Amino acid sequence: MMTKTVLITGASSGFGKDAARLFQKNGWNVIASMRSPEKETELGGLDNVLLVRLDVTDSASIASAVEQGIARFGGIDVLVNNAGFGSLGVLEAAPAEVVRQQFDVNVFGVIETIRAVLPQMRSRKSGVIINVASMGGRVAFPFSTLYHATKYAVEGLSESLQFELGPLGIQVKVVEPGGYKTDFAGRSLATYGAGDLLDYHPAYDAFAGKVDDWPMSENVWEVAEAIFEAATDGSEQLRYPVGADAIQLLEATKQMDDLAIRNMIAGFL
Ligand code: NAP
């Protein structure tokens, strides 16, 4: 069997870095893309790993990373859209640049990267596109409106895209992690709170007091395993919830109406 090649965005840390390690360990060629490859000290030393600069908000860097990957390995079999960041706070208090950046990275970046790999996948009549959304792409918690909006967008995009790409031999998959203790909260979260909008303070402050106690799984590698499964199982399965919280919550909501879901989420907080 020919060695397969995966392109991963946001491979500098967290799920993306774990996925790069896991694919490489399983004999894949890995295009480990990130905003600052010059800072990466581990992945570049592994066999069959190409470190490339790719900022999902910079079209030229997406095109160049895809081109370099194809030049080195001959093609891209799997794209993992993992890069992302979060935001926390009251919608009305969100700085305009955060609103824009949230969608630029989590939605437009995903769309641009998909469009950049498609010509080559179409010509080979095969490929897998894996979008890392979240359990928060199907259930929404308070004070994360922008983040949820982007992850719901990724879900809708993926669900629709499977119809147009399936007949061309290209599968679309969504990995939906629950809460995992990556560096996400430290390095990839814009927190703007309620600012000086006093009306929101009682609810936001109560929420902020509890949010740090939200249970986060230490088993971060499970997400890379789910990504790898999605890349290799050859099935038409669209969604891969991962983590006990995501699996339980998404299962529970299947039997509930919107009001019951709202009451359940409010009850957690
Ligand atoms: P993480 O370690 O902070 O990873 C986020 C990655 O995205 C970093 O490598 C970051 O790169 C990259 N990134 C941010 N902006 C970028 C841009 N403009 N272009 C390219 N890369 C960019 O956190 P993580 O938990 O592994 O998150 C990975 C994905 O999982 C995200 O899409 C996140 O929404 C999703 N997710 C996380 C959780 C969780 O509980 N951790 C749950 C559900 C979903 P830099 O190093 O350059 O900042």
Side-chain angles (χ1 to χ4, degrees):
M1 200 187 76
M2 285 265 293
T3 304
K4 292 203 163 189
T5 300
V6 60
L7 167 62
I8 303 169
T9 65
S12 58
S13 63
F15 304 151
K17 188 164 194 169
D18 279 354
R21 290 189 186 107
L22 184 62
F23 278 92
Q24 191 273 344
K25 214 171 86 189
N26 280 278
W28 285 57
N29 300 320
V30 177
I31 307 160
S33 79
M34 57 195 73
R35 286 192 289 191
S36 309
E38 68 284 357
K39 292 186 192 154
E40 174 55 41
T41 54
E42 178 201 337
L43 294 177
L46 301 177
D47 287 343
N48 302 323
V49 173
L50 174 67
L51 278 190
V52 288
R53 184 181 167 270
L54 191 164
D55 179 332
V56 298
T57 65
D58 171 356
S59 306
S61 79
I62 297 173
S64 159
V66 168
E67 205 176 297
Q68 289 176 64
I70 292 174
R72 165 82 183 268
F73 297 124
I76 296 170
D77 299 283
V78 175
L79 166 65
V80 180
N81 276 310
N82 163 76
F85 86 100
S87 54
L88 197 63
V90 166
L91 180 70
E92 212 184 327
E97 61 275 16
V98 174
V99 177
R100 211 143 275 286
Q101 197 197 357
Q102 186 69 93
F103 279 80
D104 280 344
V105 175
N106 291 18
V107 182
F108 300 125
V110 168
I111 292 171
E112 278 222 45
T113 311
I114 291 172
R115 284 159 54 101
V117 299
L118 275 181
Q120 182 264 164
M121 286 187 176
R122 263 192 303 110
S123 74
R124 291 159 44 134
K125 295 195 169 29
S126 78
V128 185
I129 292 170
I130 301 170
N131 297 324
V132 179
S134 169
M135 72 175 169
R138 286 204 280 153
V139 179
F141 294 83
F143 303 118
S144 309
T145 49
L146 299 170
Y147 182 69
H148 286 298
T150 64
K151 293 300 187 181
Y152 273 67
V154 170
E155 294 271 356
L157 170 90
S158 308
E159 195 166 328
S160 179
L161 193 60
Q162 66 179 338
F163 297 107
E164 63 194 61
L165 297 185
L168 307 182
I170 303 166
Q171 296 167 340
V172 180
K173 311 270 183 177
V174 193
V175 171
E176 300 168 316
Y180 281 92
K181 241 185 213 167
T182 60
D183 288 344
F184 191 72
R187 66 191 285 158
S188 301
L189 188 68
T191 304
Y192 41 83
D196 58 3
L197 300 171
L198 298 181
D199 288 342
Y200 294 108
H201 272 266
Y204 183 76
D205 294 348
F207 166 81
K210 289 185 185 164
V211 79
D212 288 341
D213 300 333
W214 186 259
M216 304 288 266
S217 171
E218 308 264 356
N219 304 337
V220 172
W221 67 87
E222 290 174 353
V223 177
E225 285 173 351
I227 292 171
F228 190 74
E229 186 192 342
T232 53
D233 68 7
S235 78
E236 292 188 335
Q237 181 179 335
L238 173 66
R239 293 190 164 92
Y240 295 73
V242 47
D245 53 354
I247 291 165
Q248 282 165 19
L249 189 64
L250 295 175
E251 201 48 47
T253 54
K254 282 185 189 161
Q255 322 296 333
M256 299 165 84
D257 63 19
D258 287 347
L259 185 58
I261 293 171
R262 193 184 74 179
N263 291 339
M264 175 181 69
I265 300 294
F268 289 154
L269 303 165

Coordinates of all heavy atoms in Angstrom, one line a residue, residues 169-210:
G169 N -15.9 10.6 -4.3 CA -15.0 9.7 -3.6 C -14.3 10.4 -2.4 O -13.3 9.9 -1.9
I170 N -14.9 11.5 -2.0 CA -14.2 12.3 -0.9 C -15.2 12.3 0.3 O -16.3 12.7 0.2 CB -13.9 13.7 -1.3 CG1 -13.0 13.7 -2.6 CG2 -13.3 14.5 -0.2 CD1 -12.9 15.1 -3.3
Q171 N -14.7 11.8 1.4 CA -15.5 11.7 2.6 C -15.3 12.9 3.5 O -14.3 13.5 3.5 CB -15.1 10.5 3.5 CG -15.3 9.1 2.8 CD -14.6 8.0 3.6 OE1 -13.7 8.2 4.4 NE2 -15.1 6.8 3.3
V172 N -16.4 13.3 4.2 CA -16.4 14.4 5.1 C -16.7 13.9 6.5 O -17.7 13.1 6.6 CB -17.4 15.5 4.7 CG1 -17.3 16.7 5.7 CG2 -17.1 16.0 3.3
K173 N -15.9 14.3 7.5 CA -16.1 13.8 8.9 C -16.0 15.0 9.8 O -15.3 16.0 9.6 CB -15.0 12.9 9.2 CG -14.7 11.8 8.2 CD -15.5 10.6 8.5 CE -15.3 9.4 7.6 NZ -16.0 8.3 8.0
V174 N -16.7 14.9 10.9 CA -16.7 15.9 12.0 C -16.3 15.2 13.3 O -17.0 14.3 13.7 CB -18.0 16.6 12.2 CG1 -17.8 17.9 13.1 CG2 -18.7 17.0 10.9
V175 N -15.2 15.6 13.9 CA -14.8 15.2 15.2 C -15.3 16.2 16.2 O -15.1 17.4 16.1 CB -13.3 14.9 15.3 CG1 -12.9 14.6 16.7 CG2 -12.9 13.8 14.4
E176 N -16.0 15.7 17.3 CA -16.7 16.6 18.2 C -16.2 16.3 19.6 O -16.8 15.5 20.4 CB -18.2 16.3 18.2 CG -18.8 16.5 16.8 CD -20.3 16.0 16.7 OE1 -20.5 14.9 17.2 OE2 -21.1 16.7 16.2
P177 N -15.1 16.9 20.0 CA -14.5 16.7 21.4 C -15.4 17.3 22.4 O -16.0 18.4 22.2 CB -13.2 17.3 21.4 CG -12.9 17.7 19.9 CD -14.2 17.8 19.3
G178 N -15.4 16.6 23.6 CA -16.0 17.3 24.8 C -14.9 18.2 25.4 O -14.0 18.6 24.7
G179 N -14.9 18.4 26.7 CA -13.9 19.2 27.3 C -12.6 18.5 27.6 O -12.7 17.4 28.3
Y180 N -11.5 18.9 27.1 CA -10.2 18.3 27.3 C -9.2 19.3 27.8 O -9.2 20.5 27.3 CB -9.7 17.7 26.0 CG -10.3 16.3 25.7 CD1 -11.5 16.3 24.9 CD2 -9.8 15.2 26.3 CE1 -12.1 15.0 24.7 CE2 -10.4 13.9 26.0 CZ -11.6 13.9 25.2 OH -12.2 12.7 25.0
K181 N -8.3 18.9 28.7 CA -7.3 19.8 29.3 C -6.1 20.0 28.3 O -5.1 19.5 28.6 CB -6.8 19.2 30.6 CG -7.1 20.1 31.8 CD -6.5 19.5 33.0 CE -7.4 19.9 34.2 NZ -7.2 19.2 35.4
T182 N -6.3 20.6 27.2 CA -5.2 21.1 26.4 C -4.8 22.5 26.9 O -5.4 22.9 27.9 CB -5.6 21.2 24.9 OG1 -6.7 22.1 24.9 CG2 -6.1 19.9 24.4
D183 N -4.0 23.2 26.2 CA -3.6 24.6 26.6 C -4.7 25.5 26.0 O -4.4 26.8 26.1 CB -2.3 25.0 26.0 CG -1.1 24.3 26.7 OD1 -1.4 23.7 27.8 OD2 0.0 24.2 26.1
F184 N -5.8 25.0 25.5 CA -6.8 25.9 24.8 C -7.1 27.1 25.7 O -7.1 28.2 25.2 CB -8.0 25.0 24.5 CG -9.0 25.7 23.6 CD1 -8.7 25.8 22.2 CD2 -10.2 26.2 24.0 CE1 -9.6 26.4 21.3 CE2 -11.1 26.8 23.2 CZ -10.8 26.9 21.8
A185 N -7.5 26.9 26.9 CA -7.9 28.0 27.8 C -6.8 29.0 28.0 O -7.1 30.2 28.1 CB -8.4 27.4 29.1
G186 N -5.6 28.5 28.0 CA -4.4 29.4 28.3 C -4.0 30.2 27.1 O -3.7 31.3 27.1
R187 N -3.9 29.5 25.9 CA -3.3 30.1 24.7 C -4.3 30.4 23.6 O -3.9 31.2 22.7 CB -2.2 29.2 24.1 CG -2.8 27.9 23.6 CD -1.7 26.9 23.2 NE -0.9 27.2 22.0 CZ 0.3 26.8 21.8 NH1 0.9 26.0 22.6 NH2 0.8 27.1 20.6
S188 N -5.5 29.8 23.6 CA -6.4 30.0 22.5 C -7.7 30.5 22.9 O -8.7 30.2 22.2 CB -6.5 28.6 21.7 OG -5.3 28.2 21.3
L189 N -7.8 31.2 24.0 CA -9.2 31.7 24.4 C -9.1 33.2 24.6 O -8.3 33.7 25.4 CB -9.5 31.0 25.7 CG -11.0 31.2 26.2 CD1 -12.0 30.6 25.3 CD2 -11.1 30.7 27.6
A190 N -10.0 33.9 23.9 CA -10.1 35.4 24.2 C -11.2 35.6 25.2 O -12.4 35.3 24.9 CB -10.4 36.1 22.8
T191 N -10.9 36.1 26.3 CA -12.0 36.3 27.4 C -12.2 37.8 27.5 O -11.3 38.6 27.8 CB -11.5 35.7 28.7 OG1 -11.2 34.4 28.5 CG2 -12.6 35.8 29.8
Y192 N -13.4 38.3 27.3 CA -13.8 39.7 27.4 C -14.8 40.0 28.4 O -15.1 41.1 28.7 CB -14.1 40.3 26.0 CG -15.0 39.3 25.2 CD1 -16.4 39.3 25.4 CD2 -14.5 38.5 24.3 CE1 -17.2 38.4 24.7 CE2 -15.3 37.6 23.5 CZ -16.6 37.6 23.8 OH -17.4 36.7 23.1
G193 N -15.4 38.9 28.9 CA -16.4 39.1 30.1 C -17.6 39.9 29.7 O -18.1 39.9 28.6
A194 N -18.0 40.8 30.7 CA -19.2 41.6 30.5 C -18.8 43.1 30.4 O -19.7 43.9 30.2 CB -20.1 41.4 31.6
G195 N -17.5 43.4 30.4 CA -17.0 44.7 30.3 C -17.7 45.6 31.3 O -17.9 45.2 32.5
D196 N -18.1 46.8 30.9 CA -18.8 47.7 31.8 C -20.3 47.7 31.7 O -21.1 48.6 32.1 CB -18.3 49.2 31.6 CG -18.5 49.6 30.2 OD1 -19.1 48.9 29.4 OD2 -18.1 50.8 29.8
L197 N -20.8 46.6 31.1 CA -22.3 46.4 30.9 C -22.9 45.8 32.2 O -23.0 44.5 32.3 CB -22.6 45.6 29.7 CG -22.0 46.2 28.4 CD1 -22.1 45.2 27.2 CD2 -22.7 47.5 28.0
L198 N -23.3 46.6 33.1 CA -23.6 46.1 34.4 C -24.8 45.2 34.4 O -24.9 44.3 35.3 CB -23.9 47.3 35.4 CG -22.7 48.3 35.6 CD1 -23.1 49.4 36.5 CD2 -21.5 47.5 36.1
D199 N -25.7 45.3 33.5 CA -26.9 44.5 33.4 C -26.5 43.0 33.4 O -27.3 42.1 33.9 CB -27.7 44.7 32.2 CG -28.5 46.1 32.3 OD1 -28.6 46.6 33.4 OD2 -28.9 46.6 31.2
Y200 N -25.4 42.7 32.8 CA -25.0 41.3 32.6 C -24.2 40.7 33.7 O -24.0 39.5 33.8 CB -24.1 41.1 31.3 CG -24.8 41.4 30.0 CD1 -24.6 42.6 29.3 CD2 -25.8 40.5 29.5 CE1 -25.2 42.9 28.1 CE2 -26.4 40.8 28.2 CZ -26.1 42.0 27.6 OH -26.7 42.2 26.4
H201 N -23.7 41.6 34.6 CA -22.7 41.2 35.6 C -23.2 40.1 36.5 O -22.5 39.1 36.8 CB -22.1 42.3 36.4 CG -21.0 42.9 35.7 ND1 -19.7 42.5 36.0 CD2 -20.9 43.8 34.7 CE1 -18.8 43.2 35.2 NE2 -19.5 43.9 34.3
P202 N -24.4 40.1 37.1 CA -24.8 39.1 38.0 C -24.7 37.7 37.4 O -24.1 36.8 37.9 CB -26.3 39.4 38.4 CG -26.4 40.9 38.2 CD -25.5 41.2 37.0
A203 N -25.3 37.6 36.2 CA -25.3 36.2 35.5 C -23.9 35.9 35.1 O -23.4 34.7 35.3 CB -26.2 36.2 34.3
Y204 N -23.2 36.8 34.5 CA -21.8 36.5 34.0 C -20.9 36.2 35.1 O -20.1 35.2 35.0 CB -21.2 37.6 33.1 CG -19.9 37.2 32.6 CD1 -19.8 36.3 31.5 CD2 -18.7 37.5 33.2 CE1 -18.6 35.8 31.0 CE2 -17.5 37.1 32.7 CZ -17.4 36.2 31.6 OH -16.2 35.7 31.2
D205 N -20.9 36.9 36.2 CA -20.0 36.7 37.3 C -20.3 35.3 37.9 O -19.4 34.6 38.3 CB -20.1 37.8 38.3 CG -19.6 39.1 37.8 OD1 -19.0 39.1 36.7 OD2 -19.9 40.2 38.4
A206 N -21.6 35.0 38.0 CA -21.9 33.6 38.6 C -21.4 32.5 37.7 O -20.8 31.6 38.2 CB -23.4 33.5 38.7
F207 N -21.5 32.7 36.4 CA -21.0 31.8 35.4 C -19.5 31.7 35.5 O -18.9 30.6 35.6 CB -21.5 32.2 34.0 CG -20.8 31.5 32.9 CD1 -21.2 30.2 32.5 CD2 -19.7 32.1 32.3 CE1 -20.5 29.6 31.5 CE2 -19.0 31.4 31.2 CZ -19.4 30.2 30.8
A208 N -18.8 32.8 35.5 CA -17.4 32.8 35.5 C -16.8 32.2 36.8 O -15.8 31.5 36.8 CB -16.9 34.3 35.4
G209 N -17.6 32.3 37.9 CA -17.1 31.6 39.1 C -17.2 30.1 39.0 O -16.5 29.4 39.8
K210 N -18.0 29.6 38.1 CA -18.1 28.1 38.1 C -17.3 27.5 36.9 O -17.1 26.3 36.9 CB -19.6 27.8 37.9 CG -20.4 28.0 39.1 CD -21.8 27.5 38.9 CE -22.7 27.8 40.1 NZ -24.1 27.7 39.8

